[in-house]
Amino acid sequence: MTIKLGVPSKGRLMEKTFDWFADRGVTLARTGSEREYAGAVMGIDGIELVLLSAGEIPRELAAGRIHLGVTGSDLVREKLGLWEEKVGELAPMGFGHADLIIAVPKAWVDVTTLDDLDAVAAAFRRRHGFRLRIATKYHRLIRDYLRDNGVADYQLVDSQGATEGTVKNETAEAIADITSTGETLRANHLKVLSGGPVHRSQATLFKSRMAEWSKDDRRILTDLKDRLGLED
């Protein structure tokens, strides 16, 4: 008769998550030392706090090992194929905003849209004998987005950090990454393609569709949603 709530274990995302719940009368708190990933929930019975990295939470939700989880909407969509079959969105939380975008060098004055990128990619392959490289860690989201928009002549190269620097370092011709202010893009002489972002991400409270939900668990969830002011 306990449901598990997974939240980010450190940093601003953890602090903002704690604040969001506290504003609604539910207190989340770390227990033990700073090195211990232990926590408690006060203000409502039947909920166990599980501290995880934001990147682990989609996996744990999909595996049914936690019932609820707070993480970025971009991470759920990137890490989970057919994500809507595995998790449901309970509430966008209004913080952790960032846009997943595609950016190219500012020097590419004739490239401002995806159609332009498609044309440049085809010409690039003819000229160089290999496909234009886009550096990203969001392989699923970018591949699906480019396919849906008819861009085919490219290859994704993995980048787990300092993605904006890959163009300058000549390991990629374009990038796809999360940005909130755009300052790092501008510093690296990159511009965002027009037409809107691939995905507008924010911290979101998700419910696992794969976890076991007993009658008592569902009652606890209803109590929590009432406390948080969420529609049933």
Side-chain angles (χ1 to χ4, degrees), residues 22-187:
D23 289 344
R24 291 157 180 81
V26 178
T27 300
L28 310 182
R30 294 190 66 147
T31 59
S33 71
E34 282 297 313
R35 295 182 181 272
E36 290 182 82
Y37 291 102
V41 180
M42 293 161 278
I44 189 167
D45 294 328
I47 301 179
E48 176 185 345
L49 185 63
V50 181
L51 297 172
L52 300 163
S53 72
E56 290 177 308
I57 289 173
R59 180 193 66 202
E60 296 302 295
L61 286 165
R65 289 188 286 264
I66 58 175
H67 298 80
L68 304 171
V70 174
T71 190
S73 56
D74 60 311
L75 294 176
V76 163
R77 287 160 174 78
E78 174 61 26
K79 291 178 177 291
L80 303 182
L82 301 174
W83 68 272
E84 290 174 297
E85 296 180 5
K86 299 169 183 174
V87 301
E89 293 186 352
L90 288 184
M93 302 174 76
F95 58 87
H97 293 284
D99 291 344
L100 176 59
I101 54 83
I102 297 174
V104 300
K106 284 183 180 178
W108 292 10
V109 294
D110 295 328
V111 181
T112 59
T113 68
L114 280 174
D115 286 342
D116 297 335
L117 181 65
D118 186 43
V120 164
F124 183 92
R125 188 177 187 184
R126 289 193 299 270
R127 177 178 299 175
H128 298 281
F130 62 93
R131 291 180 175 177
L132 181 145
R133 298 164 297 177
I134 302 174
T136 189
K137 64 179 179 180
Y138 293 93
H139 290 245
R140 188 194 305 275
L141 278 167
I142 296 304
R143 189 181 300 111
D144 291 349
Y145 180 76
L146 292 177
R147 182 195 62 227
D148 292 346
N149 285 277
V151 180
D153 255 334
Y154 69 92
Q155 59 179 314
L156 298 181
V157 293
D158 193 52
S159 175
Q160 295 298 320
T163 302
E164 295 89 350
T166 57
V167 174
K168 181 179 180 180
N169 295 332
E170 299 184 349
T171 56
E173 285 70 51
I175 72 156
D177 202 10
I178 284 286
T179 182
S180 53
T181 66
E183 290 182 10
T184 307
L185 293 172
R186 290 188 289 273

